[in-house]
Amino acid sequence: MRVGDVLPPLEIEITRTLIVAGAIASRDYQDVHHDAELARQKGSPDIFMNILTTNGLVGRYITDRFGPRSVLRRVAIRLGAPNYPGDTMVLTGTVEAVEGDTATVRVVGANGIGRHVTGTVTVTVTVPGAAGAEGARVAQGAEGAEGIEGAEGAAVHEAAGSRP
């Protein structure tokens, strides 16, 4: 992985089920995320995705690209254009910084009406059996998905510890 590496894109179909399930899973019961008629009464053309669902999808994008041993250290995102049912969001990423086994990736998620999400993710990739507390230095060079390689508001998530 090197500064300037571009990650493969991820296309996510925005369905009513995804929007409602994400809101319920994150305990966000605001009507604009599940009731189209009430969303219209509040000025929105339809229900729309909440920021916590977007945050989870950004995390999925990074861990899918960096592999199962990757650990999200920091996710900082800002929402822009809403994700409405029937659209597709395309997530893209570019490595902005690399320090040892940790990278900072600029992420953009765009849909049919503009940029839905922008932000940065700091991710650490450990190699099984590597020496040291955090593992070995990440192999140089991106190897794709299998290898090591706002309107509504903003969210920042700090992750501690590691995932098995």
Side-chain angles (χ1 to χ4, degrees):
M1 138 180 70
R2 294 186 180 106
V3 171
D5 282 352
V6 176
L7 305 181
L10 173 64
E11 291 187 14
I12 299 171
E13 289 184 43
I14 308 303
T15 64
R16 287 185 185 285
T17 301
L18 175 61
I19 292 169
V20 174
I24 290 169
S26 61
R27 297 181 181 179
D28 183 346
Y29 304 114
Q30 291 186 42
D31 51 21
V32 295
H33 303 307
H34 65 83
D35 188 317
E37 183 56 37
L38 289 175
R40 281 190 281 279
Q41 288 176 14
K42 293 182 177 185
S44 178
D46 206 338
I47 63 171
F48 55 91
M49 185 176 286
N50 72 352
I51 194 167
L52 295 171
T53 303
T54 299
N55 196 60
L57 292 170
V58 167
R60 169 191 164 198
Y61 174 63
I62 296 298
T63 58
D64 280 359
R65 273 44 190 173
F66 284 85
R69 307 269 320 156
S70 58
V71 178
L72 300 177
R73 298 295 180 186
R74 182 172 191 269
V75 176
I77 62 171
R78 180 164 302 278
L79 293 185
N83 266 340
Y84 293 117
D87 208 342
T88 300
M89 177 176 63
V90 179
L91 289 165
T92 57
T94 305
V95 177
E96 288 191 329
V98 176
E99 186 174 324
D101 59 357
T102 300
T104 300
V105 181
R106 158 92 29 223
V107 176
V108 174
N111 60 33
I113 57 175
R115 287 186 172 180
H116 169 67
V117 63
T118 56
T120 58
V121 178
T122 303
V123 58
T124 299
V125 182
T126 58
V127 179
E134 290 297 324
R137 181 179 175 85
V138 176
Q140 294 297 310
E143 298 176 26
E146 292 186 23
I148 300 174
E149 302 209 332
E152 185 173 314
V156 176
H157 175 72
E158 299 283 344
S162 64
R163 183 171 61 183

